[in-house]
Amino acid sequence: GWQDGANCYGSILRFLNVKDTNPGSRLTLGPWDHAAGSNVSPFTRNISSPKICFRSEYLRHFDQHLMGIDSGIAHEKPVYYYVMGAERWRSADVFP
């Protein structure tokens, strides 16, 4: 997540470096810290779950890439990110 120390930059750089050679690469950046257990955006008072179900996202990924089942992720934009301040999720074809 955005508040995960330097690790968010690692995720961004990894995505930017592999997206052209590894089709289907995806990037998700949310308002969480390293444990991804809560929304730690400094712009919200609603300290709650990050509003994304990691388990279902993992299963969708495994269905698509390991089981060959169309889970729909191939039809979604590859970048899914949370905009702190606006407190909204957005998706894009490229990292902003």
Side-chain angles (χ1 to χ4, degrees), residues 70-85:
D70 184 2
S71 65
I73 63 173
H75 311 290
E76 297 172 3
K77 294 183 178 188
V79 179
Y80 190 58
Y81 64 101
Y82 191 82
V83 180
M84 290 191 288

Side-chain angles (χ1 to χ4, degrees), residues 33-94:
D33 56 11
H34 186 71
S38 61
N39 182 338
V40 294
S41 171
F43 302 101
T44 186
R45 294 176 189 233
N46 182 16
I47 307 299
S48 61
S49 65
K51 304 293 189 242
I52 187 171
C53 180
F54 292 108
R55 181 174 291 156
S56 68
E57 290 302 308
Y58 295 149
L59 291 174
R60 291 177 68 216
H61 172 83
F62 293 146
D63 283 348
Q64 184 78 34
H65 297 287
L66 300 178
M67 303 297 290
I69 299 169
D70 184 2
S71 65
I73 63 173
H75 311 290
E76 297 172 3
K77 294 183 178 188
V79 179
Y80 190 58
Y81 64 101
Y82 191 82
V83 180
M84 290 191 288
E87 304 305 300
R88 298 191 186 278
W89 285 94
R90 298 221 170 102
S91 57
D93 291 317
V94 297

